[in-house]
């Protein structure tokens, strides 16, 4: 893994975390007033888990990008595959940060839950792409997709319990 690659993926994931973090307000009255499912993890779990997942995403993506791949049966070149990977990673990071803005700032739990389902599909696709380039990195990235699936279930439960409220 090249230092320049991990620096790029780390910067991209850090920017994603920062963009999402700016929108997040777990201490605000709106969020405190929402009903949450009994199975929601304690508040401290979210920054701990997301920090680990962002680090995993940065390193696994860097390993995958530097592993590359040869031409496949369809004639896809390594450069095309790596370009597609970068685009999939960028789209995933945009989706990742967008959830916070939809949930916390727009206060649209149902829209955020739907967007989170798209994020989960994107994350599963990213795991697949990563695995294709480097099996160990793909396996290491699987918890990211799993957590996004959990986040989709949690977002949906919050929306369901609150009728998708957008009240201040």
């Amino acid at each position: 893994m090249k230092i320049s690659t991990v620096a790029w993926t780390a910067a991209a994931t850090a920017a994603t975390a920062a963009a999402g973090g700016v929108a997040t307000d777990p201490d605000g009255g709106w969020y405190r007033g929402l009903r949450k499912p009994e199975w929601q993890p304690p508040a401290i779990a979210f920054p701990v888990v997301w920090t680990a997942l962002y680090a995993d995403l940065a390193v696994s993506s860097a390993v995958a990008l530097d592993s590359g791949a040869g031409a496949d049966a369809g004639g896809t070149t390594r450069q095309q595959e790596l370009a597609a990977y970068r685009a999939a990673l960028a789209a995933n990071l945009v989706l990742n940060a967008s959830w916070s803005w939809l949930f916390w700032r727009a206060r649209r739990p149902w829209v955020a839950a739907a967007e989170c389902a798209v994020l989960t599909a994107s994350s599963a696709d990213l795991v697949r792409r990563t695995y294709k380039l480097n099996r160990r990195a793909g396996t290491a990235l699987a918890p990211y997709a799993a957590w996004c699936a959990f986040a989709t279930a949690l977002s949906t439960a919050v929306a369901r319990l609150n009728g998708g409220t957008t009240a201040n």
Side-chain angles (χ1 to χ4, degrees):
M1 171 174 57
K2 297 176 190 170
I3 294 296
S4 60
T5 307
V6 78
W8 179 83
T9 58
T13 55
T16 298
V22 166
T24 303
D25 185 16
D27 296 323
W30 175 77
Y31 182 71
R32 284 195 322 260
L34 292 176
R35 289 178 294 171
K36 291 116 185 150
E38 293 177 11
W39 46 270
Q40 177 170 310
I44 190 63
F46 294 96
V48 170
V49 169
W50 276 113
T51 299
L53 291 174
Y54 283 134
D56 178 29
L57 181 57
V59 172
S60 296
S61 295
V63 168
L65 286 165
D66 285 344
S67 294
D72 67 15
T76 303
T77 67
R78 177 179 185 207
Q79 292 305 317
Q80 290 169 320
E81 191 162 357
L82 293 176
Y85 185 92
R86 284 186 198 95
L89 176 59
N92 182 271
L93 293 175
V94 168
L95 286 166
N96 187 301
S98 296
W99 180 90
S100 296
W101 288 89
L102 292 169
F103 185 85
W104 298 101
R105 290 295 170 113
R107 297 180 177 173
R108 302 286 307 263
W110 278 115
V111 175
E115 191 272 356
C116 200
V118 175
L119 171 61
T120 298
S122 170
S123 299
D125 177 63
L126 194 61
V127 169
R128 179 192 63 80
R129 290 173 185 272
T130 303
Y131 188 85
K132 186 175 178 183
L133 294 170
N134 184 293
R135 289 181 178 197
R136 293 172 88 184
T139 301
L141 190 57
Y144 174 64
W147 183 263
C148 290
F150 173 76
T152 300
L154 182 58
S155 295
T156 301
V158 169
R160 191 173 298 141
L161 287 170
N162 293 283
T165 182
T166 59
N168 293 329

